[in-house]
Amino acid sequence: MIRGSIVYIRGFDATYTGIYRDGLRQGGGNFAIPKIEPYGLDSVSILRGPASGLYGLGSPGGIVDVTTKRPTLTPFGEVQLQAGNYDRYQGSFDIGGPVPGSDQLYYRLTGLLRDAKTWYPGNDDDRAYIAPALTWRPDADTSFTILSEYQTSRTAASIGNFRTADGQLTNIYSNDPAFSAMDQKQYRIGYAFEHNVDDVWTVRQNFRFYQVDVDAKYTQIDSIDYGTNLASRSAWRILDSFNTVTLDNQAEAKFMLGAIRNTALFGVDYGHSYYNDKIGYGAAPDLNLLTMNYGAQAIATPAFSIFNKQSTDEVGVYAQEQARLGGFVLTLNGRQSWVSQTTTAGLDGVPSTQKATAFTGRAGLSYVFDNGLAPYVSYATAFSPQVGVDASGLPFKPTTGAQTEAGIKYQMPHVPVLLTAAVFDITQDNVLRTDPNNMAFQAATGQVESKGVELEAKLALKQGFDLTAAYTHLNVVITQGNPDTTGNELSGIPRNSFAAFGKYTFQSGVPVEGLGLGLGVRYIGTNFGNDQNTFQNAATTLFDAVIDYDLGKLDRRLLGATMRLNATNLFDKHDQTCQSGYCYAGERRQVIGILSYRW
C-alpha cells in the first residue's frame, strides 16, 4: 500500500539490497523501489543468511527471490474478480500456452487493474499491471524466454501518525488528503536463456533492464501547540528515478568423481544502476486540532532544493561446488566483486567516485541420515554498495556482513512433516537507518549484531489439512553507533515473533465437499520505537482467516470456478508502531471477496 515491498530478514533490512527477481537483483533508491505484483508471480523463495558468494550484492540477513510467471506448454486461462471494503475493486486475467500455428513458441499474458481506497483517510491503492512473456523452444535442450512488465500505481507516500516527545503515538494523521499521493511507473524487460550442451554442461544467460519513476507528495506534523490547538506542518515532494541493467552468465556442470557426486557452477555478472533524487520541502498550513480541517486548505508544492545523482557499476566473478558423498553434503562458493560508485550532490556539484572490492563466500556442511535428520553448519559473508546519500550529500559506504549458523532439519519418513531449527550470529557494518534528525534521509548506524533462533514446522496431509508455523527469537544490538545508541537494541525489530496458519478442505463423502476453512495468527512481540530505546512498541496479536469453495463440487458445469473470502486483521485491531522514531498506524481489517474461473 505504501512505497514498496519492505522486507526484513533476521533483523536486517533487505528492501534495497536483498530483493531479487528471476535470479537478478532489483535494487532501488529512496522512494524508487520496484513494487512487486503478487498476481504476476509463480513463486517466492527466501534464502536466509548472507548469499553474496553466489548471488552477488545482498543483505546479510538474506535475500528474497521472486519468480515471474512464464509461458506454459499447455494452454490455459484464468479470470478473477475482487471486491472488498474501502471501495476495493479489482479485475485480473492470466492466459497462455502455445502460439497458434507454431510448435516452438509459447506465450503468457498476465494483467490486472485495481481501483481502491485504503483505511488511511484520503489515500488510494490503485494499480494497473500488464506482463507479456514469450518463450522460444527450438529443441528439447534450448529455451529463450522474454519477460516484460509495465505497471503504474498510486498509493500514499506516508501513513505516519504524530508522536509526542515522550513516545506516545497519537491518532493525529501527519498526512493530508490535499497533498498526499505517490505516483509510480515501472518498466521491465529482459530474457532468460538456457541450453543443455550435453549430459554434463548447461549454460545460462539472464538479462534485464528495470526503470522506476516516482513522484511522491506528503505532509508531516513537526510540532503541536496545545495552547492554540494548532499543529505546525511541512510539505514534502520527492521526485525519484532509478534504472538498472543486469547481465548474468552461468555454466553448470554435473558429474561424478569416483563416489562423489558434484555440481559445479561458474559465472560472471555485471550490473549498472543510475539513481536521480530530487527533494523539496517547505511550510504547509497549520492543522486545526479542533476542526481537524484535513483536505480543506490548499497546500503549495515546494520547490526542489536537494539534488543527488548516483551511478553504480559492479562486476562479479563467482564459483560454487556442491559435493555429495554418502550422507555428507559440502557446499563451497566464492565471489570477487569490483564496484565503482559516482555521486553528484547538488545542481552544480562535482562528481566524486568511490571504489571498493570484496571477496565473499560461503562454506556449509551437512549430513543427511537415513531417518530424515540433517544437521548442518555454515559460515558466510556479505557485501553490497548502498544507493543514495545522507543528509550531508555524502554517499554511503558499502555494507558488509558475516554469519555463523548451525541447525537441523527433519523430514519425517512416510509422513509429510518437515521440522527445522537454526541458531545464528550475524554482524553487519554500515547499516542504513532512518535519520531521526532528517526523516527524509537515511544514515549509517555503524555496526549491528543479530543473534537468534528460528523454529519452523510444515505439515501437508492428503486428507486436506495443511499447517505452517514459525517462531523467531532475535536479539539485535547496535554494537557501534552514536553515543546515545551504542549498546541499545535496534528499533522496530521484535524480540519474539510467532506466526501460524492452518487450513482444512473437506474431502469427498461429506455434504460440504470442496469447502475450505483457514485461520492464521501473527504475534509480534515488544520492541523499541527508537534507537535511543526511550520507549517501546507494545506486543500485538493479529488474526487472519480464509473461506473458499470449489464450485465444481456443487455442479460439474462450474468446474474451474472458485469463490474465496480473505480477511486480514480479522478483529480490526488498532495496531500502532514506531521505528527509528518514525511512527505509523498499522493496517486495519481488510476483507476481500474473490471469484475466479480457470480453464
Side-chain angles (χ1 to χ4, degrees):
M1 189 189 73
I2 178 173
R3 298 195 185 179
S5 304
I6 309 302
V7 178
Y8 278 81
I9 304 176
R10 291 184 169 177
F12 295 102
D13 184 5
T15 306
Y16 297 98
T17 60
I19 307 297
Y20 284 70
R21 190 177 194 114
D22 302 316
L24 300 176
R25 186 185 183 211
Q26 282 196 161
N30 200 9
F31 278 38
I33 307 170
K35 293 180 182 290
I36 299 173
E37 172 49 53
Y39 190 71
L41 302 180
D42 260 342
S43 63
V44 179
S45 301
I46 299 176
L47 180 61
R48 297 180 177 94
S52 291
L54 182 60
Y55 282 86
L57 314 178
S59 167
I63 66 171
V64 177
D65 186 25
V66 300
T67 302
T68 305
K69 287 180 174 178
R70 303 190 179 204
T72 59
L73 300 180
T74 56
F76 79 98
E78 180 184 72
V79 291
Q80 187 182 97
L81 298 175
Q82 291 187 10
N85 56 338
Y86 305 115
D87 298 322
R88 179 190 177 97
Y89 302 98
Q90 176 175 301
S92 55
F93 67 89
D94 187 18
I95 56 175
V99 173
S102 174
D103 60 356
Q104 296 184 353
L105 295 175
Y106 305 85
Y107 78 98
R108 190 157 188 172
L109 183 63
T110 309
L112 176 147
L113 184 64
R114 178 170 68 237
D115 181 78
K117 302 298 181 183
T118 73
W119 59 270
Y120 197 85
N123 287 288
D124 301 316
D125 185 18
D126 301 338
R127 177 166 296 180
Y129 172 85
I130 190 75
L134 182 68
T135 294
W136 175 48
R137 293 181 180 272
D139 55 56
D141 293 318
T142 307
S143 68
F144 181 85
T145 300
I146 298 174
L147 300 168
S148 61
E149 166 197 291
Y150 173 74
Q151 178 175 293
T152 64
S153 61
R154 166 169 280 200
T155 59
S158 174
I159 56 171
N161 281 28
F162 179 74
R163 179 179 63 84
T164 62
D166 59 356
Q168 297 299 310
L169 189 61
T170 70
N171 291 321
I172 303 173
Y173 300 119
S174 290
N175 214 347
D176 192 306
F179 195 76
S180 173
M182 177 170 163
D183 294 306
Q184 179 163 322
K185 292 182 180 180
Q186 59 190 60
Y187 322 79
R188 169 174 56 85
I189 188 166
Y191 63 80
F193 170 76
E194 181 173 295
H195 176 65
N196 296 320
V197 179
D198 52 33
D199 293 338
V200 175
W201 288 98
T202 299
V203 294
R204 304 182 186 94
Q205 185 180 80
N206 296 319
F207 168 83
R208 186 179 62 227
F209 170 80
Y210 224 135
Q211 171 82 27
V212 181
D213 297 311
V214 174
D215 189 351
K217 303 173 183 178
Y218 65 96
T219 60
Q220 71 178 34
I221 293 177
D222 301 316
S223 63
I224 288 181
D225 186 340
Y226 289 101
T228 61
N229 287 309
L230 294 175
S232 176
R233 301 186 296 179
S234 57
W236 293 76
R237 185 185 181 194
I238 314 291
L239 194 64
D240 279 353
S241 178
F242 177 84
N243 64 64
T244 179
V245 175
T246 311
L247 178 66
D248 184 24
N249 305 278
Q250 291 184 357
E252 182 182 74
K254 296 182 178 180
F255 57 95
M256 296 294 295
L257 194 62
I260 302 175
R261 184 185 308 168
N262 298 271
T263 300
L265 182 69
F266 310 91
V268 178
D269 62 19
Y270 168 74
H272 168 80
S273 66
Y274 176 76
Y275 169 60
N276 192 342
D277 180 37
K278 299 178 182 178
I279 300 175
Y281 62 95
D286 292 343
L287 175 69
N288 189 314
L289 299 181
L290 298 178
T291 63
M292 289 295 183
N293 54 335
Y294 288 104
Q297 304 177 84
I299 300 177
T301 301
F304 293 118
S305 56
I306 299 173
F307 304 85
N308 295 299
K309 297 180 182 179
Q310 193 169 71
S311 63
T312 304
D313 291 276
E314 191 263 347
V315 175
V317 177
Y318 59 90
Q320 175 172 285
E321 161 67 358
Q322 185 179 82
R324 296 174 179 266
L325 176 62
F328 286 100
V329 181
L330 174 66
T331 302
L332 300 172
N333 62 47
R335 175 188 180 90
Q336 180 65 47
S337 297
W338 296 267
V339 177
S340 177
Q341 195 171 59
T342 300
T343 304
T344 304
L347 275 177
D348 302 318
V350 177
S352 62
T353 300
Q354 63 174 1
K355 296 184 178 182
T357 62
F359 180 82
T360 52
R362 179 179 182 270
L365 179 64
S366 65
Y367 186 84
V368 182
F369 289 91
D370 293 338
N371 62 2
L373 280 173
Y376 69 90
V377 292
S378 70
Y379 175 79
T381 57
F383 166 79
S384 179
Q386 305 187 94
V387 174
V389 297
D390 61 19
S392 302
L394 299 175
F396 302 121
K397 294 180 179 179
T399 181
T400 58
Q403 173 191 267
T404 55
E405 178 178 351
I408 189 169
K409 300 179 182 181
Y410 179 43
Q411 177 67 68
M412 291 188 181
H414 314 298
V415 180
V417 175
L418 175 64
L419 305 175
T420 62
V423 293
F424 56 86
D425 186 342
I426 308 174
T427 301
Q428 182 183 18
D429 292 308
N430 302 318
V431 182
L432 291 187
R433 303 287 289 164
T434 300
D435 188 339
N437 300 316
N438 297 275
M439 300 301 288
F441 294 91
Q442 291 182 306
T445 60
Q447 186 185 82
V448 172
E449 183 177 29
S450 173
K451 296 181 179 180
V453 177
E454 293 173 338
L455 305 175
E456 188 171 355
K458 294 182 179 180
L459 169 67
L461 297 178
K462 292 182 179 179
Q463 293 82 1
F465 181 69
D466 297 285
L467 174 67
T468 299
Y471 166 76
T472 301
H473 173 76
L474 286 174
N475 183 26
V476 187
V477 177
I478 302 172
T479 51
Q480 294 179 17
N482 296 327
D484 60 344
T485 62
T486 299
N488 293 349
E489 293 185 28
L490 197 66
S491 63
I493 308 299
R495 304 178 189 92
N496 298 283
S497 60
F498 173 80
F501 189 86
K503 184 171 183 287
Y504 178 71
T505 301
F506 290 91
Q507 304 298 295
S508 59
V510 296
V512 289
E513 178 188 357
L515 176 66
L517 303 174
L519 182 65
V521 59
R522 291 174 285 149
Y523 170 77
I524 304 169
T526 57
N527 56 92
F528 284 103
N530 62 359
D531 291 340
Q532 289 74 28
N533 290 183
T534 58
F535 67 97
Q536 290 196 62
N537 298 307
T540 185
T541 303
L542 305 174
F543 292 89
D544 308 311
V546 62
I547 302 175
D548 58 27
Y549 183 60
D550 182 354
L551 294 172
K553 302 297 183 181
L554 181 67
D555 190 326
R556 289 190 59 83
R557 291 173 297 181
L558 298 176
L559 283 174
T562 59
M563 295 191 306
R564 173 173 291 188
L565 189 66
N566 287 334
T568 55
N569 191 6
L570 182 62
F571 300 108
D572 199 25
K573 188 168 184 179
H574 294 208
D575 179 35
Q576 299 180 341
T577 190
C578 301
Q579 184 180 50
S580 298
Y582 182 72
C583 302
Y584 57 94
E587 286 191 82
R588 301 286 294 276
R589 177 170 54 213
Q590 179 83 63
V591 180
I592 301 174
I594 306 170
L595 177 62
S596 301
Y597 176 65
R598 188 176 180 90
W599 65 91

